[in-house]
Amino acid sequence: MNTSAIAPSELQKASSRRGPEPEPVTQRNRAYQGFRQQIIDARIRPGQFVSQRELMQLLEMPLAAVRELVPRLEAAGLIKAVPKRGLQIATVDMKLIRNAWQVRAMVEREAVVHFARVASAETIARLIADHEAILERALQPRPDDALEKDAQAVDWGLHDSMVDSIGNEILSEIYRVNSLHVRLIRYDADSMRPVQVVPAMREHLEFLRALADGDAEGALERMMSHIEQSKHRVLGGMLRVGQ
């Protein structure tokens, strides 16, 4: 089954359209999606302490929904309860970075192999055009204010759609939870964000052009290199922040 092409304006909705089957619309699930969006929008910081009542205000959800949400977030390793201090958002350390990128590499290796088999030439061509458009904007002397948000939509849209193309809902959910850890880590290195767009887009384009040429082995090699390089960029950004 071929994956459908995704326009840039649609990529931000890709995870909800093409990921796991939608969960029943319950208050707990609405609260979880709200928490996820807070991480994506970088409104929650790694290591931050929050109370249940603060989460109520942040997510605009009742206390009952937040209380049901907390065990799910704890099971995912996104928060932990600290006695007398409240709920702490996952902290960023070398163990988290190692674990998160190891999961990325394992899942995306399988995703790339599958995507190389099922992605249509039209899909790949449109993805290339999406990335080239972002790269062109990023190379302008004064990048526009919407660049980072649009770049993230194109960036994560590619990764999510590749994983979702496998059609394994369990794997897609594991990948999405891990992606939240990765986004927390990236936020901790936010001073490096403006300079991360260009290399990320270029690495994606190398991968996509290998796919377009029918070079599945080369595409896999380029994607694994991209994942490793993204880890090094985050580590470099964190080092600069620490200094």
Side-chain angles (χ1 to χ4, degrees):
M1 177 179 68
N2 285 355
T3 55
S4 58
I6 305 176
S9 61
E10 297 173 345
L11 279 167
Q12 288 170 303
K13 303 175 184 177
S15 62
S16 62
R17 281 203 320 268
R18 303 177 61 185
E21 288 295 318
E23 297 178 279
V25 181
T26 64
Q27 285 193 329
R28 185 181 74 165
N29 290 336
R30 285 177 54 206
Y32 179 78
Q33 292 304 320
F35 184 87
R36 180 178 182 274
Q37 196 61 46
Q38 293 293 317
I39 292 179
I40 291 173
D41 294 341
R43 295 184 186 135
I44 293 179
R45 296 191 66 94
Q48 175 183 347
F49 281 93
V50 293
S51 67
Q52 288 190 4
R53 294 201 174 273
E54 286 172 331
L55 278 179
M56 284 175 55
Q57 297 173 354
L58 196 64
L59 304 178
E60 299 181 346
M61 296 295 295
L63 182 59
V66 171
R67 284 176 173 167
E68 290 183 359
L69 170 68
V70 168
R72 180 175 181 178
L73 297 179
E74 287 183 300
L78 293 168
I79 66 169
K80 67 176 180 178
V82 179
K84 300 181 180 180
R85 297 203 63 184
L87 303 170
Q88 186 179 26
I89 308 301
T91 56
V92 173
D93 55 23
M94 290 303 299
K95 180 180 179 181
L96 177 62
I97 294 171
R98 182 183 67 248
N99 291 348
W101 258 266
Q102 184 178 45
V103 171
R104 276 197 74 183
M106 292 172 65
V107 175
E108 292 199 46
R109 178 177 292 275
E110 179 67 21
V112 168
V113 171
H114 182 78
F115 195 68
R117 292 199 302 264
V118 303
S120 68
E122 181 184 6
T123 294
I124 296 169
R126 187 167 299 186
L127 287 170
I128 288 174
D130 292 346
H131 283 74
E132 287 177 337
I134 292 293
L135 181 59
E136 183 178 356
R137 287 166 60 187
L139 291 173
Q140 296 301 311
R142 286 189 170 184
D144 56 273
D145 293 338
L147 171 65
E148 185 180 336
K149 183 177 181 181
D150 292 346
Q152 286 183 351
V154 170
D155 188 330
W156 287 96
L158 172 62
H159 292 282
D160 288 349
S161 61
M162 285 196 304
V163 173
D164 292 341
S165 74
I166 297 174
N168 186 321
E169 295 177 7
I170 296 174
L171 194 63
S172 288
E173 180 62 20
I174 291 171
Y175 183 77
R176 273 167 173 69
V177 170
N178 189 65
S179 292
L180 294 181
H181 287 288
V182 172
R183 288 171 189 248
L184 279 172
I185 295 167
R186 288 168 65 89
Y187 182 63
D188 221 27
D190 61 346
S191 67
M192 291 295 291
R193 279 176 159 186
V195 299
Q196 290 177 349
V197 172
V198 170
M201 290 298 108
R202 283 175 170 162
E203 289 161 15
H204 275 206
L205 282 167
E206 289 178 358
F207 160 74
L208 290 167
R209 286 166 181 156
L211 283 183
D213 292 339
D215 182 6
E217 186 175 334
L220 178 59
E221 180 180 343
R222 285 166 176 79
M223 180 53 71
M224 293 301 100
S225 174
H226 164 64
I227 291 172
E228 186 66 20
Q229 289 302 317
S230 71
K231 181 174 72 173
H232 288 311
R233 282 192 288 272
V234 167
L235 289 172
M238 292 176 63
L239 180 61
R240 288 174 176 80
V241 171
Q243 292 174 341

